[in-house]
Amino acid sequence: SSGINAEYGYYRAGISAATPTGEAWVCVQGALMQIDVDEEGAVGVNSHHGIYKAPLADVGGRHMVGNWKSYSGKLTRVSKGGSGLWGVNANDDIYQHNGQSWQNISGKLVQISSGSEVWGVNRNDGIYRYSGNNAWESISGALTNVDVSDKGRVWGVNRNQDIYRRTGNSWQHISGKAIQVSVGESGVWVVNQGNDIYYRQGTYGDVDTEGSSWVHVSGKLKWIASGRNIVVGCNSSDQIYYRAGVSAATPTGTSWVRVAGLLVQIDVHGDLVVGVNKDHAIFKSDLHGN
């Protein structure tokens, strides 16, 4: 099933005999005023009476449909990883989700990351690692954004937009500039001040390496997150995208696919995507495929 609104086309994902109403609407780039579909593909016309056709893509592999569900509470940043679901609110208060509700953890942070450990930064660019029992260990250095993977790789950026990688008990400077970094199973990805997107060559698989160079990936995002064979992000208009076709053979993927919804920040872990919107509401959506 497919359809259009004022700006975009949509198709209904997950339609089957078992779920005849499908799961969610998925946004497709392009603007049409009328559309039709059969087994060979979709056809339509635009406002200038131009006629277009498109094949129906196989959405096998890793993908998301944006079937968003809400969590209780309000957060400005949220992170899902091996250490669970964590977040911070507008007052810099720290919370951990216990599966039922949010539990306050002592300390103050403006951004947090959950992986093999929990790391975060405060308003003074101080770096902290959670040591359990409401205690935080201060880490040398100064960062505005930090990310930790399930294998314990830690990357960050500072107020000068310099990029760093944690090696032992010190920070290794990595060439390039960024305002936000994500390290995960699809490697290290960053976005810079111009919302340009880069992948660090040689980092796919969450391996312990500095990588070799930055590879520019088309598109514009203000926040990005690296998951298992998928990369998700949101742009300056809060629109949500995932990178299709990410694999060991094609670590930068093949294309960006827009997903329904609006978020200002996003994260991904396992089969779950989490994020917060401009009103600090918290959402989650399932991932599909391998």
Side-chain angles (χ1 to χ4, degrees):
S1 177
S2 60
I4 53 177
N5 69 7
E7 297 182 58
Y8 300 97
Y10 291 81
Y11 72 85
R12 188 70 174 173
I15 293 178
S16 67
T19 56
T21 59
E23 298 173 335
W25 290 105
V26 179
C27 182
V28 179
Q29 291 183 343
L32 296 175
M33 56 183 286
Q34 184 264 333
I35 195 169
D36 200 4
V37 63
D38 67 8
E39 65 274 7
E40 294 182 357
V43 295
V45 295
N46 67 11
S47 59
H48 301 292
H49 303 168
I51 310 165
Y52 294 87
K53 66 178 180 179
L56 297 180
D58 180 4
V59 294
R62 206 79 165 128
H63 63 281
M64 63 182 295
V65 297
N67 54 338
W68 298 103
K69 299 176 182 177
S70 62
Y71 286 101
S72 62
K74 297 282 187 179
L75 295 175
T76 53
R77 295 287 184 265
V78 65
S79 180
K80 179 75 165 68
S83 294
L85 182 63
W86 291 68
V88 296
N89 68 11
N91 296 319
D92 303 353
D93 298 319
I94 306 165
Y95 291 90
Q96 179 185 17
H97 203 273
N98 64 9
Q100 301 294 327
S101 61
W102 295 101
Q103 302 297 307
N104 181 239
I105 303 295
S106 65
K108 294 282 187 177
L109 296 173
V110 294
Q111 186 258 321
I112 198 164
S113 175
S114 170
S116 62
E117 302 173 307
V118 178
W119 287 61
V121 295
N122 67 13
R123 288 195 180 273
N124 297 319
D125 303 349
I127 310 164
Y128 292 88
R129 177 172 57 197
Y130 190 59
S131 50
N133 297 319
N134 281 279
W136 294 89
E137 175 191 0
S138 177
I139 304 295
S140 63
L143 297 174
T144 54
N145 173 255
V146 69
D147 199 53
V148 55
S149 75
D150 277 356
K151 291 184 178 179
R153 323 301 182 204
V154 181
W155 288 62
V157 298
N158 68 9
R159 198 163 293 277
N160 196 42
Q161 302 172 31
D162 298 317
I163 306 166
Y164 291 91
R165 166 181 174 253
R166 188 75 172 169
T167 58
N169 292 319
S170 62
W171 295 101
Q172 176 188 7
H173 179 245
I174 304 294
S175 64
K177 293 286 186 176
I179 59 171
Q180 187 254 325
V181 60
S182 177
V183 53
E185 292 180 74
S186 289
V188 176
W189 291 69
V190 300
V191 292
N192 67 14
Q193 192 172 35
N195 290 172
D196 300 310
I197 306 161
Y198 291 88
Y199 160 74
R200 188 68 175 175
Q201 188 74 36
T203 59
Y204 176 90
D206 197 11
V207 293
D208 187 16
T209 178
E210 65 184 90
S212 57
S213 62
W214 292 108
V215 178
H216 180 246
V217 178
S218 64
K220 295 278 189 178
L221 294 174
K222 66 178 179 182
W223 197 281
I224 201 163
S226 171
R228 188 179 78 248
N229 290 332
I230 198 168
V231 175
V232 299
C234 45
N235 67 13
S236 59
S237 299
D238 299 349
Q239 296 166 336
I240 305 161
Y241 290 84
Y242 74 86
R243 189 70 175 173
V246 175
S247 68
T250 55
T252 57
T254 54
S255 63
W256 292 106
V257 180
R258 189 179 168 194
V259 178
L262 296 171
L263 295 174
V264 299
Q265 184 260 331
I266 196 167
D267 200 10
V268 58
H269 180 261
D271 292 327
L272 193 70
V273 177
V274 295
V276 295
N277 69 8
K278 63 181 179 60
D279 299 314
H280 305 170
I282 315 157
F283 295 92
K284 62 181 178 179
S285 176
D286 296 327
L287 287 177
H288 302 270
N290 298 312

